[in-house]
Amino acid sequence: MNINKERKAIDTALDNYRARLDLIPDEKFTETPPGGGWSYAEVYSHILQATLGSTIALERCCNNTCVPTTKKLTFLGVLMMTINRFPPVRVKVPEKVNAKMPALKISKEDAKNLVIKCRKRVDEITPQLKDALPASRHKHPRLGMLNAGQWVKFIRIHLLHHLKQLDRIGKKFKTG
């Protein structure tokens, strides 16, 4: 895995999230789209909170402060890391994750600040990746035990996945 390539993809995705905030009409940002599902605000809340949470796990792996384990990825984790995206089956956020980080109807200003915070965290942690041991892994609720490189890849895959969700929301508003 090329860390620089992953990092550039994360930066591009965060740029995309930030740019879209200027394109989403203010009155639509917190509105539930026709047919249901998350609002733009809830997607931003989820993805940015999850990214921040992932950077904490990544940092623990980089600092080698994880409890040593021989456990690895789950089947879903192996599949996702292999195909470089979420499998094409929609699944709900695990209840355990939703309880820790519920998707909230945040404001556009909060979303802008969270994008900045995510970028700052990624900037701070990226230089530490060279110190991460491959066996230093931290648990993901669905994917199993991820090492630092896998956490970086997950952040990128997850960010790109929810950009597609924002596209689907936009289509619902146009057809609804």
Side-chain angles (χ1 to χ4, degrees), residues 101-172:
M101 310 185 247
L104 305 171
K105 291 197 176 189
I106 62 174
S107 70
K108 277 187 164 186
E109 192 61 33
D110 288 339
K112 289 174 186 177
N113 290 333
L114 283 168
V115 170
I116 292 166
K117 194 172 181 180
C118 286
R119 188 180 306 279
K120 186 176 183 216
R121 287 286 296 154
V122 171
D123 286 346
E124 292 168 352
I125 297 166
T126 302
Q128 299 173 31
L129 283 164
K130 64 185 180 330
D131 300 324
L133 300 174
S136 186
R137 298 186 190 100
H138 195 273
K139 186 172 175 54
H140 181 278
R142 274 216 172 103
L143 306 179
M145 301 301 285
L146 279 65
N147 64 28
Q150 291 164 332
W151 275 107
V152 171
K153 192 170 183 177
F154 168 75
I155 290 169
R156 190 240 325 140
I157 290 170
H158 195 220
L159 283 166
L160 294 176
H161 170 76
H162 285 289
L163 283 173
K164 292 175 187 170
Q165 185 179 15
L166 292 176
D167 292 339
R168 289 192 301 271
I169 293 169
K171 286 177 185 168
K172 282 183 173 184

Coordinates of all heavy atoms in Angstrom, one line a residue, residues 101-172:
M101 N -21.5 7.3 18.5 CA -21.5 8.4 17.6 C -22.7 8.5 16.8 O -22.7 8.1 15.6 CB -20.3 8.3 16.7 CG -19.0 8.0 17.2 SD -17.8 8.1 15.8 CE -17.4 6.4 15.7
P102 N -23.8 9.0 17.4 CA -25.1 9.0 16.6 C -24.9 10.1 15.5 O -24.3 11.1 15.6 CB -26.1 9.4 17.6 CG -25.4 10.1 18.7 CD -24.0 9.5 18.7
A103 N -25.6 9.8 14.3 CA -25.6 10.7 13.2 C -26.6 11.8 13.6 O -27.8 11.6 13.8 CB -26.1 10.0 12.0
L104 N -26.1 13.0 13.8 CA -26.9 14.2 14.2 C -27.1 15.2 13.1 O -26.4 15.2 12.1 CB -26.2 14.9 15.4 CG -25.7 14.0 16.6 CD1 -24.8 14.8 17.5 CD2 -27.0 13.5 17.3
K105 N -28.1 16.0 13.2 CA -28.4 17.0 12.2 C -27.6 18.2 12.6 O -28.1 19.1 13.3 CB -29.9 17.3 12.1 CG -30.7 16.1 11.5 CD -32.0 16.5 11.1 CE -32.7 15.3 10.4 NZ -33.9 15.6 9.7
I106 N -26.4 18.2 12.2 CA -25.4 19.3 12.6 C -25.6 20.5 11.6 O -26.3 20.3 10.5 CB -24.0 18.8 12.5 CG1 -23.6 18.3 11.1 CG2 -23.7 17.7 13.6 CD1 -22.1 17.9 11.0
S107 N -25.1 21.6 11.9 CA -25.2 22.8 11.0 C -24.1 22.7 10.0 O -23.1 21.9 10.1 CB -25.0 24.1 11.8 OG -23.7 24.2 12.3
K108 N -24.2 23.5 8.9 CA -23.1 23.5 7.9 C -21.8 24.0 8.6 O -20.7 23.6 8.2 CB -23.5 24.5 6.8 CG -24.4 23.8 5.7 CD -24.6 24.8 4.6 CE -25.0 24.1 3.4 NZ -25.1 25.1 2.2
E109 N -21.9 25.0 9.5 CA -20.7 25.5 10.1 C -20.0 24.4 10.9 O -18.8 24.3 10.9 CB -21.1 26.7 11.0 CG -19.9 27.5 11.5 CD -19.1 28.1 10.4 OE1 -19.7 28.5 9.4 OE2 -17.9 28.3 10.6
D110 N -20.8 23.6 11.6 CA -20.2 22.5 12.4 C -19.6 21.5 11.4 O -18.5 21.0 11.7 CB -21.3 21.7 13.2 CG -21.8 22.5 14.4 OD1 -21.1 23.4 14.8 OD2 -23.0 22.2 14.8
A111 N -20.2 21.3 10.3 CA -19.6 20.4 9.3 C -18.3 20.9 8.7 O -17.3 20.2 8.6 CB -20.6 20.1 8.1
K112 N -18.2 22.2 8.5 CA -17.0 22.9 8.0 C -15.9 22.7 9.0 O -14.7 22.4 8.7 CB -17.2 24.3 7.7 CG -18.1 24.6 6.4 CD -18.4 26.1 6.3 CE -19.3 26.3 5.1 NZ -19.7 27.7 5.0
N113 N -16.2 22.9 10.3 CA -15.2 22.8 11.4 C -14.8 21.4 11.5 O -13.6 21.2 11.8 CB -15.8 23.4 12.7 CG -16.0 24.9 12.6 OD1 -15.2 25.6 11.9 ND2 -16.9 25.4 13.4
L114 N -15.7 20.4 11.4 CA -15.3 19.0 11.5 C -14.4 18.6 10.3 O -13.4 17.8 10.5 CB -16.5 18.1 11.5 CG -17.2 18.1 12.9 CD1 -18.6 17.4 12.8 CD2 -16.3 17.4 13.9
V115 N -14.6 19.1 9.1 CA -13.7 18.8 8.0 C -12.3 19.3 8.3 O -11.3 18.6 8.1 CB -14.2 19.5 6.7 CG1 -13.2 19.4 5.6 CG2 -15.5 18.8 6.2
I116 N -12.2 20.5 8.8 CA -10.9 21.1 9.2 C -10.3 20.3 10.3 O -9.1 20.0 10.2 CB -11.1 22.6 9.7 CG1 -11.5 23.5 8.6 CG2 -9.8 23.1 10.4 CD1 -12.0 24.8 9.0
K117 N -11.0 19.8 11.3 CA -10.5 19.0 12.4 C -10.0 17.7 11.9 O -8.9 17.2 12.3 CB -11.6 18.8 13.4 CG -11.1 18.3 14.8 CD -12.2 18.3 15.8 CE -11.8 17.8 17.1 NZ -12.8 17.8 18.1
C118 N -10.7 17.1 10.9 CA -10.3 15.8 10.4 C -9.0 15.9 9.6 O -8.1 15.1 9.8 CB -11.4 15.2 9.4 SG -12.8 14.5 10.3
R119 N -8.9 17.0 8.8 CA -7.7 17.2 8.0 C -6.5 17.4 9.0 O -5.4 16.9 8.7 CB -7.9 18.4 7.1 CG -6.7 18.6 6.2 CD -6.9 19.8 5.3 NE -8.1 19.8 4.5 CZ -8.4 19.1 3.4 NH1 -7.5 18.3 2.9 NH2 -9.5 19.2 2.8
K120 N -6.7 18.2 10.0 CA -5.6 18.4 11.0 C -5.2 17.1 11.6 O -4.0 16.9 11.8 CB -6.1 19.4 12.1 CG -5.0 19.9 13.0 CD -5.5 20.9 14.0 CE -4.4 21.3 14.9 NZ -4.7 21.6 16.2
R121 N -6.1 16.3 12.0 CA -5.8 15.0 12.7 C -5.0 14.1 11.7 O -4.0 13.5 12.1 CB -7.0 14.3 13.1 CG -7.7 14.8 14.3 CD -7.0 14.5 15.6 NE -6.9 13.1 15.9 CZ -6.0 12.5 16.6 NH1 -5.1 13.2 17.1 NH2 -6.1 11.2 16.7
V122 N -5.4 14.1 10.5 CA -4.7 13.3 9.5 C -3.3 13.8 9.3 O -2.3 13.1 9.2 CB -5.5 13.2 8.1 CG1 -4.7 12.5 7.0 CG2 -6.8 12.4 8.4
D123 N -3.2 15.2 9.2 CA -1.9 15.8 9.1 C -0.9 15.5 10.2 O 0.3 15.2 10.0 CB -2.0 17.4 9.0 CG -2.6 17.9 7.7 OD1 -2.6 17.1 6.7 OD2 -3.0 19.1 7.7
E124 N -1.5 15.4 11.4 CA -0.7 15.2 12.6 C -0.2 13.7 12.6 O 0.9 13.4 13.1 CB -1.5 15.4 13.9 CG -1.8 16.9 14.1 CD -2.8 17.1 15.2 OE1 -3.4 16.1 15.7 OE2 -3.0 18.3 15.6
I125 N -1.0 12.8 12.2 CA -0.7 11.4 12.4 C 0.1 10.8 11.2 O 0.9 9.9 11.4 CB -2.1 10.6 12.6 CG1 -2.7 11.0 13.9 CG2 -1.8 9.1 12.6 CD1 -4.1 10.6 14.0
T126 N -0.1 11.3 10.0 CA 0.6 10.7 8.9 C 2.1 10.5 9.1 O 2.6 9.4 8.7 CB 0.3 11.5 7.6 OG1 -1.2 11.5 7.4 CG2 0.9 10.9 6.4
P127 N 2.8 11.5 9.6 CA 4.2 11.3 9.8 C 4.6 10.1 10.7 O 5.7 9.6 10.7 CB 4.7 12.6 10.4 CG 3.7 13.6 10.0 CD 2.4 12.9 9.9
Q128 N 3.6 9.8 11.6 CA 3.9 8.7 12.6 C 3.7 7.3 12.0 O 4.1 6.3 12.6 CB 2.9 8.8 13.8 CG 3.1 10.1 14.5 CD 2.0 10.3 15.6 OE1 1.5 9.3 16.1 NE2 1.6 11.5 15.8
L129 N 3.2 7.2 10.8 CA 2.9 5.9 10.2 C 4.2 5.0 10.1 O 4.1 3.8 10.2 CB 2.2 6.0 8.8 CG 0.8 6.4 8.9 CD1 0.3 6.9 7.6 CD2 0.0 5.2 9.3
K130 N 5.3 5.7 9.8 CA 6.5 4.9 9.6 C 7.0 4.2 10.9 O 7.7 3.2 10.8 CB 7.7 5.9 9.2 CG 8.0 6.9 10.2 CD 9.1 7.9 9.7 CE 9.5 9.0 10.6 NZ 8.6 9.4 11.6
D131 N 6.5 4.6 12.0 CA 6.8 3.9 13.3 C 5.9 2.8 13.7 O 6.1 2.1 14.7 CB 6.8 5.0 14.4 CG 7.8 6.1 14.2 OD1 8.9 5.8 13.6 OD2 7.5 7.3 14.5
A132 N 4.8 2.6 13.0 CA 3.8 1.6 13.3 C 4.3 0.2 13.0 O 4.8 0.0 12.0 CB 2.5 1.9 12.6
L133 N 4.1 -0.6 14.0 CA 4.4 -2.0 13.8 C 3.2 -2.8 13.2 O 2.0 -2.5 13.5 CB 4.7 -2.7 15.2 CG 5.9 -2.1 15.9 CD1 6.0 -2.8 17.3 CD2 7.2 -2.3 15.2
P134 N 3.4 -3.6 12.2 CA 2.3 -4.3 11.5 C 1.4 -5.1 12.5 O 0.2 -5.3 12.3 CB 3.0 -5.3 10.6 CG 4.4 -4.7 10.4 CD 4.7 -4.0 11.6
A135 N 2.0 -5.6 13.6 CA 1.2 -6.3 14.6 C 0.4 -5.5 15.6 O -0.4 -6.0 16.4 CB 2.1 -7.3 15.3
S136 N 0.6 -4.2 15.5 CA -0.1 -3.2 16.4 C -1.4 -3.0 15.7 O -1.5 -2.2 14.8 CB 0.7 -2.0 16.6 OG 0.1 -1.1 17.5
R137 N -2.5 -3.6 16.3 CA -3.8 -3.5 15.7 C -4.8 -3.0 16.7 O -4.7 -3.3 17.9 CB -4.2 -4.9 15.2 CG -3.3 -5.4 14.1 CD -3.9 -6.8 13.6 NE -3.0 -7.4 12.7 CZ -2.2 -8.4 13.1 NH1 -2.3 -8.9 14.4 NH2 -1.3 -9.0 12.3
H138 N -5.8 -2.3 16.1 CA -6.9 -1.8 17.0 C -8.2 -2.3 16.3 O -8.4 -2.3 15.1 CB -6.9 -0.3 17.0 CG -7.7 0.3 18.1 ND1 -9.1 0.6 17.9 CD2 -7.5 0.6 19.4 CE1 -9.6 1.1 19.1 NE2 -8.6 1.1 20.0
K139 N -9.2 -2.6 17.2 CA -10.5 -3.2 16.7 C -11.4 -2.3 16.0 O -11.7 -1.2 16.6 CB -11.2 -3.9 17.9 CG -12.4 -4.7 17.5 CD -13.0 -5.5 18.6 CE -14.2 -6.2 18.4 NZ -14.2 -7.1 17.2
H140 N -11.9 -2.7 14.9 CA -13.0 -2.0 14.2 C -14.2 -2.8 14.5 O -14.2 -4.1 14.5 CB -12.7 -1.9 12.7 CG -13.8 -1.2 11.9 ND1 -14.9 -1.9 11.5 CD2 -13.9 0.0 11.4 CE1 -15.7 -1.0 10.9 NE2 -15.1 0.1 10.8
P141 N -15.4 -2.2 14.7 CA -16.6 -3.0 15.1 C -17.1 -4.0 14.1 O -17.6 -5.0 14.5 CB -17.7 -1.9 15.2 CG -17.1 -0.6 15.0 CD -15.6 -0.8 14.7
R142 N -16.8 -3.9 12.8 CA -17.2 -4.8 11.8 C -16.0 -5.5 11.1 O -16.2 -6.6 10.6 CB -18.0 -4.2 10.7 CG -19.5 -4.1 11.1 CD -20.3 -4.2 9.8 NE -21.7 -4.3 10.2 CZ -22.6 -3.4 10.1 NH1 -22.2 -2.2 9.6 NH2 -23.8 -3.6 10.4
L143 N -14.9 -4.8 11.0 CA -13.9 -5.3 10.1 C -12.8 -6.1 10.8 O -11.9 -6.7 10.2 CB -13.2 -4.2 9.3 CG -14.2 -3.3 8.5 CD1 -13.4 -2.1 7.9 CD2 -15.0 -4.1 7.5
G144 N -12.8 -6.1 12.2 CA -11.9 -6.9 12.9 C -10.7 -6.0 13.3 O -10.8 -4.8 13.5
M145 N -9.5 -6.6 13.5 CA -8.4 -5.9 14.0 C -7.6 -5.3 12.8 O -7.0 -6.0 12.0 CB -7.5 -6.9 14.8 CG -8.2 -7.5 16.0 SD -8.8 -6.3 17.2 CE -7.3 -5.9 18.0
L146 N -7.5 -4.0 12.8 CA -6.8 -3.3 11.7 C -5.5 -2.7 12.2 O -5.4 -2.2 13.3 CB -7.7 -2.1 11.2 CG -8.8 -2.4 10.2 CD1 -9.9 -3.2 10.8 CD2 -9.4 -1.1 9.7
N147 N -4.5 -2.8 11.4 CA -3.2 -2.2 11.7 C -3.2 -0.8 11.1 O -4.2 -0.3 10.5 CB -2.0 -3.0 11.2 CG -1.9 -3.1 9.7 OD1 -2.4 -2.3 8.9 ND2 -1.4 -4.2 9.2
A148 N -2.2 0.0 11.3 CA -2.1 1.4 10.9 C -2.4 1.6 9.4 O -3.3 2.4 9.0 CB -0.8 2.1 11.3
G149 N -1.8 0.8 8.6 CA -2.0 0.9 7.1 C -3.4 0.6 6.8 O -4.0 1.3 5.9
Q150 N -4.0 -0.3 7.4 CA -5.4 -0.7 7.1 C -6.4 0.4 7.6 O -7.4 0.6 7.0 CB -5.7 -2.0 7.8 CG -5.0 -3.2 7.1 CD -5.0 -4.5 7.9 OE1 -5.1 -4.5 9.1 NE2 -4.9 -5.6 7.2
W151 N -6.0 1.1 8.7 CA -6.9 2.2 9.2 C -6.8 3.3 8.2 O -7.9 3.9 7.9 CB -6.4 2.7 10.6 CG -7.1 1.9 11.7 CD1 -6.4 0.9 12.5 CD2 -8.4 1.9 12.1 NE1 -7.4 0.4 13.3 CE2 -8.6 0.9 13.1 CE3 -9.6 2.6 11.6 CZ2 -9.8 0.7 13.7 CZ3 -10.8 2.3 12.3 CH2 -10.9 1.4 13.3
V152 N -5.7 3.6 7.6 CA -5.6 4.7 6.6 C -6.4 4.3 5.4 O -7.2 5.1 4.9 CB -4.1 4.9 6.2 CG1 -4.0 5.8 5.0 CG2 -3.3 5.4 7.3
K153 N -6.3 3.1 5.0 CA -7.1 2.6 3.8 C -8.6 2.6 4.2 O -9.4 3.1 3.3 CB -6.7 1.2 3.5 CG -7.2 0.7 2.1 CD -6.5 -0.6 1.8 CE -7.0 -1.1 0.4 NZ -6.3 -2.3 0.0
F154 N -9.0 2.2 5.4 CA -10.4 2.3 5.8 C -10.9 3.7 5.7 O -12.0 4.0 5.2 CB -10.6 1.7 7.2 CG -12.0 2.0 7.7 CD1 -13.1 1.3 7.2 CD2 -12.2 3.0 8.6 CE1 -14.4 1.6 7.7 CE2 -13.4 3.4 9.1 CZ -14.5 2.6 8.6
I155 N -10.1 4.7 6.2 CA -10.6 6.1 6.2 C -10.9 6.5 4.8 O -11.9 7.1 4.5 CB -9.5 7.0 6.9 CG1 -9.4 6.7 8.4 CG2 -9.8 8.5 6.6 CD1 -8.3 7.4 9.1
R156 N -10.0 6.2 3.9 CA -10.2 6.6 2.5 C -11.4 5.9 1.9 O -12.3 6.6 1.3 CB -8.9 6.2 1.7 CG -9.0 6.8 0.3 CD -9.0 5.8 -0.9 NE -8.2 4.6 -0.7 CZ -8.6 3.4 -1.2 NH1 -9.7 3.3 -1.7 NH2 -7.8 2.4 -1.0
I157 N -11.5 4.6 2.1 CA -12.7 3.9 1.5 C -14.0 4.4 2.1 O -15.0 4.6 1.4 CB -12.6 2.4 1.8 CG1 -11.4 1.8 1.0 CG2 -13.9 1.6 1.6 CD1 -11.0 0.3 1.4
H158 N -14.0 4.7 3.4 CA -15.2 5.1 4.1 C -15.6 6.5 3.6 O -16.8 6.8 3.4 CB -15.0 5.1 5.6 CG -16.2 5.2 6.4 ND1 -16.3 6.0 7.6 CD2 -17.5 4.7 6.3 CE1 -17.5 5.9 8.1 NE2 -18.2 5.1 7.4
L159 N -14.6 7.4 3.5 CA -14.9 8.8 3.0 C -15.5 8.7 1.6 O -16.5 9.4 1.3 CB -13.6 9.6 3.0 CG -13.2 10.2 4.3 CD1 -11.7 10.7 4.2 CD2 -14.1 11.3 4.8
L160 N -14.9 7.9 0.7 CA -15.4 7.8 -0.7 C -16.8 7.2 -0.7 O -17.7 7.6 -1.5 CB -14.5 7.0 -1.5 CG -13.1 7.7 -1.7 CD1 -12.2 6.8 -2.5 CD2 -13.2 9.0 -2.4
H161 N -17.1 6.2 0.2 CA -18.4 5.5 0.2 C -19.5 6.6 0.5 O -20.5 6.5 -0.1 CB -18.3 4.5 1.3 CG -19.7 3.9 1.6 ND1 -20.3 3.0 0.8 CD2 -20.5 4.0 2.7 CE1 -21.4 2.6 1.4 NE2 -21.6 3.3 2.5
H162 N -19.3 7.4 1.5 CA -20.3 8.4 1.9 C -20.4 9.5 0.9 O -21.5 10.2 0.9 CB -20.1 8.8 3.3 CG -20.5 7.7 4.3 ND1 -21.9 7.4 4.5 CD2 -19.8 6.9 5.1 CE1 -21.9 6.4 5.3 NE2 -20.7 6.1 5.7
L163 N -19.4 9.8 0.1 CA -19.6 10.8 -1.0 C -20.7 10.2 -2.0 O -21.5 11.0 -2.5 CB -18.3 11.0 -1.8 CG -17.3 11.9 -1.1 CD1 -16.0 11.9 -1.8 CD2 -17.8 13.3 -0.9
K164 N -20.7 8.9 -2.2 CA -21.7 8.3 -3.1 C -23.1 8.5 -2.4 O -24.1 8.7 -3.1 CB -21.4 6.9 -3.3 CG -20.2 6.7 -4.2 CD -19.9 5.2 -4.3 CE -18.6 5.0 -5.0 NZ -18.1 3.6 -5.0
Q165 N -23.2 8.4 -1.1 CA -24.4 8.5 -0.4 C -24.9 10.0 -0.5 O -26.1 10.2 -0.7 CB -24.3 8.2 1.1 CG -25.6 8.2 1.9 CD -25.4 7.9 3.3 OE1 -24.3 7.8 3.9 NE2 -26.5 7.6 4.0
L166 N -24.0 11.0 -0.5 CA -24.5 12.3 -0.7 C -25.1 12.5 -2.1 O -26.0 13.2 -2.3 CB -23.3 13.3 -0.5 CG -22.7 13.4 0.9 CD1 -21.5 14.3 0.9 CD2 -23.8 13.9 1.9
D167 N -24.5 11.8 -3.1 CA -25.0 11.9 -4.5 C -26.4 11.3 -4.5 O -27.3 11.8 -5.2 CB -24.1 11.0 -5.4 CG -22.8 11.7 -5.7 OD1 -22.6 12.9 -5.4 OD2 -21.9 11.0 -6.1
R168 N -26.7 10.2 -3.8 CA -28.0 9.6 -3.7 C -29.0 10.5 -3.1 O -30.2 10.6 -3.5 CB -28.0 8.2 -3.0 CG -27.2 7.1 -3.8 CD -27.5 5.7 -3.2 NE -27.0 5.6 -1.8 CZ -25.8 5.2 -1.4 NH1 -24.9 5.0 -2.3 NH2 -25.5 5.1 -0.1
I169 N -28.6 11.2 -2.1 CA -29.5 12.2 -1.4 C -29.9 13.3 -2.4 O -31.0 13.6 -2.5 CB -28.9 12.7 -0.1 CG1 -28.7 11.7 0.9 CG2 -29.7 13.9 0.4 CD1 -27.9 12.1 2.1
G170 N -28.9 13.8 -3.1 CA -29.2 14.8 -4.1 C -30.2 14.4 -5.1 O -31.1 15.1 -5.5
K171 N -30.0 13.1 -5.6 CA -31.0 12.6 -6.6 C -32.4 12.4 -6.0 O -33.4 12.7 -6.7 CB -30.5 11.2 -7.1 CG -29.3 11.3 -8.0 CD -28.8 9.9 -8.4 CE -27.6 10.0 -9.2 NZ -26.9 8.8 -9.5
K172 N -32.5 12.1 -4.7 CA -33.8 12.0 -4.1 C -34.5 13.3 -4.0 O -35.7 13.4 -4.3 CB -33.7 11.5 -2.6 CG -33.4 10.0 -2.5 CD -33.4 9.6 -1.0 CE -33.3 8.1 -0.8 NZ -33.4 7.8 0.6

